[in-house]
Amino acid sequence: MADLDRIDLSIIRKLQKNGRITVTDLASRVGLSKTPCQIRMRRLEEQGYITGYSAMVNQTKLGLSHVAFAQVTLNDTSSKALAAFNTAVRQISAVEQCHMMAANFDYLLKVRTKNMAEYRQVLGEQISSLPHVLQTSTFVVMESVKDRGL
């Protein structure tokens, strides 16, 4: 982050809030003209600070209102076992996020489904059959108070 100045950080923050902002509007908001702003954006992308652009979607309107966190413990934590788990978990579309943890369990998964019945099926047929899974515990979200890191 030492390579970033306040303008770079401002560009990143503004794009996080609105990825569809025009370059002209973004440039105006960060105090640059269009061309220098485009050059900085391209550099931020090339250096991996900006990894992509996406749309925020109302998952409830799409029928995916059930959110649960699955705590996963593995029976083997060798590098080979972790790699096998990581590769396999990426294939489960209901898993929105997967984090390796420094805790008394190995992974925390954020799982989004239509309802509890679908979650139960995903847990039983997909998550529990991932490589090296020893046990799981589920925590169901009752209400999302804050769902973005802005």
Side-chain angles (χ1 to χ4, degrees):
M1 229 174 91
D3 297 341
L4 302 181
D5 63 16
R6 67 173 182 74
I7 294 175
D8 291 330
L9 294 172
S10 182
I11 288 171
I12 291 170
R13 280 192 298 276
K14 299 218 180 322
L15 286 172
Q16 282 181 299
K17 289 182 182 174
N18 180 4
R20 293 186 64 174
I21 190 171
T22 66
V23 176
T24 303
D25 194 20
L26 177 62
S28 169
R29 291 178 189 220
V30 299
L32 294 174
S33 61
K34 183 178 176 180
T35 301
C37 186
Q38 283 177 313
I39 291 169
R40 282 177 179 255
M41 285 177 60
R42 193 172 310 116
R43 180 177 50 79
L44 291 167
E45 291 166 357
E46 289 169 357
Q47 292 178 346
Y49 290 102
I50 298 173
T51 58
Y53 301 88
S54 63
M56 298 299 297
V57 177
N58 183 328
Q59 298 288 2
T60 301
K61 285 191 175 231
L62 294 174
L64 297 170
S65 60
H66 185 269
V67 177
F69 287 88
Q71 183 177 296
V72 178
T73 303
L74 304 183
N75 60 16
D76 180 358
T77 56
S78 66
S79 294
K80 187 176 178 181
L82 296 174
F85 179 88
N86 294 348
T87 298
V89 76
R90 289 182 184 110
Q91 304 307 308
I92 302 175
S93 61
V95 175
E96 236 178 48
Q97 297 177 10
C98 175
H99 305 279
M100 182 186 287
M101 305 299 290
N104 62 348
F105 58 95
D106 300 303
Y107 287 91
L108 185 63
L109 312 180
K110 181 180 179 185
V111 184
R112 185 179 294 275
T113 56
K114 288 185 271 189
N115 52 41
M116 181 59 85
E118 184 178 336
Y119 174 75
R120 185 170 181 242
Q121 184 221 2
V122 168
L123 180 67
E125 295 177 14
Q126 296 179 48
I127 295 171
S128 293
S129 64
L130 288 168
H132 308 287
V133 170
L134 175 64
Q135 70 180 42
T136 63
S137 295
T138 295
F139 304 90
V140 176
V141 173
M142 293 173 33
E143 176 183 1
S144 291
V145 177
K146 182 177 180 184
D147 200 22
R148 281 200 69 207
L150 293 179

